[in-house]
Amino acid sequence: MTPVVEARGLSRTYRRGRLRVPAVSDVDLTVAAGTVVGVEGPSGSGKSTLLRLLMRLEAPDSGELLLDGHASRRTAPGWAMPVFQDARASLDARWPVWRTVAEPLLRTDRAARRAAALDWLSRVGLGHVDPDARPRELSGGQCQRVAVARALIARPRVVFADEPTASLDATTAAGITRLLRAAADEHGTALVVVSHDADRLAVLADRIVRMDAGRLTA
Ligand SMILES: Nc1ncnc2c1ncn2[C@@H]1O[C@H](COP(=O)(O)OP(=O)(O)OP(=O)(O)O)[C@@H](O)[C@H]1O
Ligand SMILES: [Mg+2]
């Protein structure tokens, strides 16, 4: 079967004046449907840059990226969903959180989208939060969970999650980990999950790769 994500030799170097920062160097990575790949590595090792390359938010300087086997075609809306490291900044500040969660549900009427959003808010442990609240009225960990609900609600083909449980207590983090795992097991979603929490990653991931100074070392 064609992998969901196939990266070959991806590299990205940032230039600041004469300084060159090789953030991602010659990375090969394949992620099959229904598989969770964990990415660990020290701060500054290039994990978030790698996710941006895989999401095509940024173009690599060299290398090849196939998504569902295609090198350049734009993916359909909602095909890939992000959970960004800075979750609050990634949410639309003007929108009630239910609308943010429901946004990937295309072609669904408003009442059904609101109901689905409330269901997902409760699945991520935010059943008690006002669905009409704006992101600034939520804590950082609550914003992170809004981002996870939004990422999973429409059963995407792939999720790229950057430290999705970093601001959460252990019990809440375990619940979010179960939802991410269930997306892979029940819907065949592929996931690439960056985390500093080795124990959590060991529970969640089928395979763990390690980044070190821009290179994948395992
Ligand atoms: N937009 C940018 N412009 C210049 N340099 C950048 C940019 N984004 C990242 N870098 C540099 O690339 C390297 C990798 O950064 P990246 O954010 O990918 O690391 P990370 O592994 O996600 O770290 P953390 O665990 O702290 O989130 C760092 O040296 C960083 O300074
Ligand atoms: Mg990062």
Side-chain angles (χ1 to χ4, degrees), residues 74-90:
R74 273 179 66 93
T75 52
W79 185 90
M81 290 300 297
V83 177
F84 289 104
Q85 192 164 12
D86 184 350
R88 189 196 305 275
S90 75

Side-chain angles (χ1 to χ4, degrees), residues 29-31 35-39 191-194 205-209:
L29 185 69
T30 301
V31 190
T35 308
V36 182
V37 173
V39 182
L191 293 100
V192 182
V193 181
V194 170
D206 297 293
R207 198 166 91 240
I208 295 177
V209 297

Side-chain angles (χ1 to χ4, degrees), residues 137-215:
E137 300 170 78
L138 269 53
S139 74
Q142 288 173 332
C143 288
Q144 209 160 36
R145 286 181 280 160
V146 168
V148 170
R150 168 187 158 81
L152 298 181
I153 192 168
R155 298 184 182 178
R157 182 90 165 126
V158 56
V159 170
F160 298 104
D162 202 345
E163 305 263 15
T165 58
S167 319
L168 305 178
D169 63 272
T171 309
T172 308
I176 295 301
T177 301
R178 276 195 297 275
L179 288 174
L180 294 171
R181 186 67 241 177
D185 293 340
E186 293 166 20
H187 308 307
T189 299
L191 293 100
V192 182
V193 181
V194 170
S195 178
H196 283 292
D197 185 339
D199 293 341
R200 184 151 317 289
L201 218 47
V203 172
L204 171 62
D206 297 293
R207 198 166 91 240
I208 295 177
V209 297
R210 190 176 164 76
M211 283 204 83
D212 206 351
R215 292 187 178 275

Side-chain angles (χ1 to χ4, degrees), residues 14-21:
Y14 293 113
R15 289 170 186 82
R16 237 183 267 108
R18 262 187 297 165
L19 191 69
R20 299 175 83 245
V21 182

Side-chain angles (χ1 to χ4, degrees), residues 2-122:
T2 311
V4 179
V5 175
E6 189 172 4
R8 296 188 203 126
L10 280 192
S11 297
R12 176 78 172 105
T13 295
Y14 293 113
R15 289 170 186 82
R16 237 183 267 108
R18 262 187 297 165
L19 191 69
R20 299 175 83 245
V21 182
V24 169
S25 301
D26 199 20
V27 164
D28 296 329
L29 185 69
T30 301
V31 190
T35 308
V36 182
V37 173
V39 182
E40 59 176 29
S43 179
S45 60
K47 306 181 297 298
S48 296
T49 304
L50 174 61
L51 286 194
R52 286 196 299 276
L53 295 178
L54 297 178
M55 286 186 254
R56 293 199 174 133
L57 282 179
E58 225 174 283
D61 301 316
S62 56
E64 191 180 20
L65 173 64
L66 304 177
L67 299 179
D68 261 348
H70 297 284
S72 57
R73 200 173 67 190
R74 273 179 66 93
T75 52
W79 185 90
M81 290 300 297
V83 177
F84 289 104
Q85 192 164 12
D86 184 350
R88 189 196 305 275
S90 75
L91 305 179
D92 193 315
R94 299 157 304 175
W95 279 16
V97 290
W98 81 262
R99 200 173 148 198
T100 288
V101 170
E103 199 204 0
L105 294 172
L106 309 166
R107 294 185 294 276
T108 311
D109 69 62
R110 183 186 159 97
R113 284 193 297 127
R114 189 174 161 104
L118 297 194
D119 176 42
W120 270 94
L121 285 168
S122 105

